[in-house]
Amino acid sequence: MEKMSLIIPCYNEEQSVTILYNEIDRVSRELPGYELEMLFVDDGSKDDTLKIVKSFAVRDPRVKYLSFSRNFGKEAAMYAGFCNASGSLVAVMDADMQDPPSLLPKMVKILESGQWDSVATRRVTRRGEPPVRSFFARMFYKVINKITDIEIVDGARDFRLMKRSMADAIVKMGEYNRFSKGIYGWVGFRTYWLPYKNVERAAGETKWNFWKLLLYSIDGIVSFSQMPLSVASFGGIALTVLSLLFVVFLVLRKLIFGDPVAGWASLACLITFIGGIQLFCMGIIGQYLAKTYLEVKGRPHYIIADTNDPDAKKVM
Ligand code: UDP
Ligand code: MG
């Protein structure tokens, strides 16, 4: 029998894990050909998430849990899942039912057709999301698709089902600054896009705020594009040319009209303008430097403090 691993990152999800577990249990009966493995990755929850997951594990041998020593973030949790999933099919899904397990049988069918290596989901509506967040999300996808070579689909979720070969490739992508949507695109493989309507959280609340999302989007851009660095260099060149032209203009004006000393205001404006641009460009370089710094240190992505899997890779 083939094995299917479900990776479920959980951070303070005590209100939704039970709903999710019951739903997966129900859906598993529609997948008789597969042996299920549920990998609950507890990302340092401060509530009773781990306790609840442990209670599933006591009565259900299909449940494995990996509990982090602190909150490492969703990306680290997904990576821990990939490193420890043993199925020939691997799926990632949120704990809050926004990635409906009921789609799994359909996704499995698509993979079984043999034409595809992975089934990705894409929500076609952003119902239930604050309009400001939707607006910035759309902008982000426009920008990142313009400046990177990989395609990142607007509305793409992290919810995916993939074959072993793709999961292995993702484990090999050991970068510290992880941006899964980019990683999925980078490794390639034949991907089927399954559209579905946005579902609201079953319970609890979102762990993301505007600031976290902004930082995450910078992560995404810096991880997959060198375009900002080019913009900084070309901006510098353009400004240099412009200032040379300005010098020529000033000299000519002096020769033709004499020099009525004026223009303190314009000078002050120019200085602050150029100072601003310089700082901005240094900021861009700083972003890349900071990411490089973290990569070079080679710190582990996650540390597992508690698990029921004796073979778990505890520090990766
Ligand atoms: N999550 C996590 N670590 C974190 C933040 C979130 O493992 O630091 C998990 C969370 O428990 C959920 C998934 O990531 O299963 C998506 O989080 P959330 O629903 O808050 O994000 P949204 O759906 O609002 O984008
Ligand atoms: Mg959610």
Side-chain angles (χ1 to χ4, degrees):
M1 198 147 72
E2 271 200 77
K3 193 165 174 184
M4 174 156 66
S5 305
L6 302 180
I7 299 169
I8 307 153
C10 313
Y11 178 52
N12 295 345
E13 298 285 3
E14 60 181 6
Q15 296 180 48
S16 13
V17 274
T18 310
I19 307 176
L20 180 81
Y21 171 76
N22 290 333
E23 176 68 3
I24 293 176
D25 187 43
R26 189 187 67 76
V27 172
S28 69
R29 271 169 248 138
E30 291 171 34
L31 293 163
Y34 290 87
E35 181 194 341
L36 219 57
E37 169 187 65
M38 296 178 231
L39 271 168
F40 287 89
V41 186
D42 166 41
D43 185 10
S45 299
K46 292 176 187 73
D47 63 3
D48 282 338
T49 305
L50 181 61
K51 214 167 111 192
I52 299 170
V53 170
K54 278 183 173 173
S55 75
F56 304 152
V58 170
R59 55 193 149 91
D60 187 343
R62 298 172 302 176
V63 175
K64 274 209 246 172
Y65 61 85
L66 310 166
S67 178
F68 286 178
S69 59
R70 64 168 169 87
N71 179 244
F72 280 87
K74 184 186 176 190
E75 287 290 346
M78 290 195 287
Y79 190 59
F82 277 112
C83 292
N84 290 290
S86 57
S88 56
L89 293 183
V90 180
V92 185
M93 63 170 65
D94 285 2
D96 59 3
M97 297 283 290
Q98 283 193 298
D99 300 335
S102 54
L103 284 178
L104 277 173
K106 202 168 165 189
M107 293 163 86
V108 169
K109 275 239 165 59
I110 295 169
L111 281 195
E112 279 174 348
S113 78
Q115 271 186 51
W116 309 97
D117 301 306
S118 101
V119 184
T121 55
R122 196 183 123 230
R123 44 183 185 173
V124 284
T125 59
R126 286 182 172 268
R127 195 165 52 86
E129 196 181 62
V132 189
R133 182 166 159 181
S134 300
F135 171 75
F136 279 104
R138 291 227 163 79
M139 289 251 296
F140 168 71
Y141 285 109
K142 279 219 177 83
V143 170
I144 199 160
N145 277 311
K146 280 246 158 58
I147 65 176
T148 57
D149 323 326
I150 48 170
E151 201 201 355
I152 298 176
V153 177
D154 183 8
R157 304 269 314 168
D158 289 332
F159 183 25
R160 292 225 176 195
L161 179 70
M162 66 194 78
K163 290 191 176 158
R164 186 75 247 167
S165 44
M166 184 165 173
D168 283 340
I170 291 171
V171 172
K172 275 270 174 345
M173 300 276 284
E175 60 215 76
Y176 190 79
N177 298 285
R178 299 184 74 77
F179 180 67
S180 278
K181 290 180 182 109
I183 291 175
Y184 292 153
W186 197 94
V187 296
F189 293 98
R190 298 165 302 171
T191 299
Y192 181 91
W193 285 97
L194 186 69
Y196 76 103
K197 287 221 175 68
N198 195 25
V199 193
E200 284 179 43
R201 237 176 191 285
E205 52 193 41
T206 176
K207 310 296 174 308
W208 296 89
N209 55 34
F210 186 76
W211 183 241
K212 269 195 182 170
L213 278 173
L214 183 71
L215 290 178
Y216 186 54
S217 61
I218 293 177
D219 259 359
I221 291 173
V222 172
S223 298
F224 286 94
S225 171
Q226 281 89 46
M227 185 69 88
L229 287 172
S230 314
V231 169
S233 346
F234 287 120
I237 294 172
L239 264 182
T240 313
V241 171
L242 214 70
S243 62
L244 282 176
L245 289 176
F246 195 51
V247 168
V248 172
F249 165 74
L250 287 179
V251 170
L252 287 180
R253 194 175 66 168
K254 157 87 182 150
L255 290 178
I256 300 168
F257 301 109
D259 189 13
V261 178
W264 181 88
S266 54
L267 208 62
C269 289
L270 270 179
I271 290 172
T272 44
F273 173 67
I274 292 177
I277 290 199
Q278 277 177 339
L279 276 182
F280 178 69
C281 293
M282 268 173 63
I284 292 179
I285 299 171
Q287 283 294 330
Y288 284 88
L289 187 65
K291 300 285 178 223
T292 314
Y293 180 59
L294 284 174
E295 289 300 341
V296 165
K297 282 193 186 188
R299 284 179 177 167
H301 296 83
Y302 65 83
I303 298 167
I304 291 176
D306 189 6
T307 173
N308 63 344
D309 175 10
D311 303 321
K313 300 187 182 86
K314 291 205 168 130
V315 181
M316 278 285 275

